Amino acid sequence: MSKEYYKVVANNKKAGYDYFIEERYECGITLIGTEVKSVRMGKVSIKESYVQIDSHGELIIIGMNISPYEKGNIFNRDPIRTRKLLMHRKEIDKLAGKVKTDGYTLVPLRVYLKGSLVKVEIGLARGKKNYDKRETIAKKDMKRAAEKEFKNLNVKGL
């Protein structure tokens, strides 16, 4: 049995703050030329990006920034162009139904290397209200305070 190689290249931390992530899906992504080399170097940002289902029933990611490869020349593409995500038709249809009827949205969560392939993890998400965000911050603060107290007790106990 061989182990799969995973390396997270870009992470969207803001998605967990702004949305309730209900389901996660793994997608492939179509990249052209030197974009793959830039992704391998970690020159990717998905902070301001989002996922849509276009009129042809295909998943596209909009606003994903892949910086141009330094050693590339005429082969470099527009860094913020829309890119197609690859998923099975049944999964796309399922997502399309949920997005249209239930008020969900599709958010990119992370970009990672799986072996030699570039993958994008997207989440089926529902937006948070302001009071939900305050609740999330309060929970984080309580957890952080408890960990600090636990650490202090362990240090004093030795």
Side-chain angles (χ1 to χ4, degrees), residues 86-138:
L86 307 171
M87 269 180 102
H88 291 285
R89 171 62 47 205
K90 287 182 181 178
E91 290 177 315
I92 294 174
D93 292 342
K94 177 182 164 188
L95 288 175
K98 287 202 173 187
V99 167
K100 283 183 184 173
T101 58
D102 297 339
Y104 287 101
T105 186
L106 296 171
V107 180
L109 302 175
R110 62 188 179 132
V111 178
Y112 58 95
L113 298 170
K114 183 178 180 182
S116 63
L117 303 174
V118 178
K119 299 287 186 177
V120 178
E121 183 179 54
I122 63 171
L124 187 64
R126 187 182 300 274
K128 285 185 181 179
K129 305 282 189 234
N130 281 336
Y131 57 85
D132 292 327
K133 292 179 185 178
R134 284 192 293 269
E135 197 174 293
T136 303
I137 292 171

Side-chain angles (χ1 to χ4, degrees), residues 7-139:
K7 179 186 174 195
V8 176
V9 180
N11 207 347
N12 191 355
K13 294 178 184 175
K14 196 166 166 104
Y17 177 73
D18 288 337
Y19 299 99
F20 293 113
I21 308 297
E22 301 201 1
E23 294 180 30
R24 296 171 183 261
Y25 296 92
E26 180 181 77
C27 304
I29 184 169
T30 55
L31 298 175
I32 298 172
T34 56
E35 289 178 333
V36 177
K37 291 182 180 185
S38 291
V39 169
R40 289 189 186 284
M41 291 173 56
K43 308 279 185 170
V44 182
S45 174
I46 55 172
K47 288 180 184 171
E48 300 295 324
S49 63
Y50 59 97
V51 178
Q52 278 188 339
I53 300 172
D54 70 356
S55 59
H56 302 295
E58 296 177 339
L59 280 176
I60 55 171
I61 187 165
I62 300 168
M64 178 179 178
N65 186 357
I66 298 178
S67 298
Y69 184 58
E70 296 99 30
K71 296 178 180 137
N73 44 24
I74 60 169
F75 301 111
N76 284 335
R77 300 292 178 137
D78 179 28
I80 309 178
R81 71 181 183 87
T82 60
R83 294 167 180 90
K84 183 178 168 184
L85 296 177
L86 307 171
M87 269 180 102
H88 291 285
R89 171 62 47 205
K90 287 182 181 178
E91 290 177 315
I92 294 174
D93 292 342
K94 177 182 164 188
L95 288 175
K98 287 202 173 187
V99 167
K100 283 183 184 173
T101 58
D102 297 339
Y104 287 101
T105 186
L106 296 171
V107 180
L109 302 175
R110 62 188 179 132
V111 178
Y112 58 95
L113 298 170
K114 183 178 180 182
S116 63
L117 303 174
V118 178
K119 299 287 186 177
V120 178
E121 183 179 54
I122 63 171
L124 187 64
R126 187 182 300 274
K128 285 185 181 179
K129 305 282 189 234
N130 281 336
Y131 57 85
D132 292 327
K133 292 179 185 178
R134 284 192 293 269
E135 197 174 293
T136 303
I137 292 171
K139 284 181 184 177

